[in-house]
């Protein structure tokens, strides 16, 4: 099965602390691969990767995954693989530190 870029390759998001930044909202049933490069985080920075899905058409979004990363990170590339049937939303939320530019990409398989 082919892998296709949904959005974001080499397009960093400039984050604002305490303001969620939605990367994608997609309605294509597929497996999504979320890549977030945390290289720019320094001591005191905390970044959360948040993945929400709608498991059926009339549902609200359910938070499926939330992972905080505190800078500096030992492993700079964070990857999440998520199957989605109805709808998926991926966001970044910097909860502490100075707003950073964070490269990311989302792929669909």
């Amino acid at each position: 099965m082919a892998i296709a870029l949904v959005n974001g390759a080499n397009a960093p998001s400039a984050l604002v602390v305490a303001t969620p930044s939605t990367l994608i909202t997609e309605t294509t049933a597929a497996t999504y691969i979320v890549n977030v490069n945390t290289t720019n985080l320094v001591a005191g920075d905390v970044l959360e990767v948040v993945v929400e899905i709608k498991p059926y058409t009339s549902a609200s979004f359910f938070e499926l995954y939330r992972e905080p990363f505190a800078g500096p990170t030992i492993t700079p590339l964070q990857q999440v693989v998520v199957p989605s049937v109805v709808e998926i939303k991926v966001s970044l939320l910097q909860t502490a530190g100075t707003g950073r530019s964070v490269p990311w990409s989302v792929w669909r398989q």
Side-chain angles (χ1 to χ4, degrees):
M1 180 171 262
I3 295 177
L5 178 66
V6 175
N7 203 346
N10 299 316
S13 284
L15 301 176
V16 176
V17 176
T19 303
S21 177
T22 300
L23 306 181
I24 65 150
T25 302
E26 282 284 314
T27 56
T28 302
T31 297
Y32 290 85
I33 301 133
V34 180
N35 298 296
V36 178
N37 183 334
T38 58
T39 300
N40 293 339
L41 298 182
V42 300
D45 292 340
V46 178
L47 173 69
E48 293 182 350
V49 177
V50 182
V51 178
E52 300 169 87
I53 64 164
K54 287 185 179 180
Y56 48 91
T57 308
S58 61
S60 297
F61 278 107
F62 287 88
E63 189 174 291
L64 184 66
Y65 176 90
R66 178 182 294 261
E67 186 70 34
F69 298 98
T73 54
I74 294 171
T75 307
L77 181 63
Q78 313 306 325
Q79 188 174 74
V80 183
V81 178
V82 183
S84 177
V85 191
V86 176
E87 192 168 352
I88 184 171
K89 179 167 51 172
V90 179
S91 304
L92 297 178
L93 174 62
Q94 188 169 347
T95 59
T98 300
R100 301 289 173 196
S101 182
V102 178
W104 61 274
S105 64
V106 178
W107 298 78
R108 177 175 51 230
Q109 180 177 21

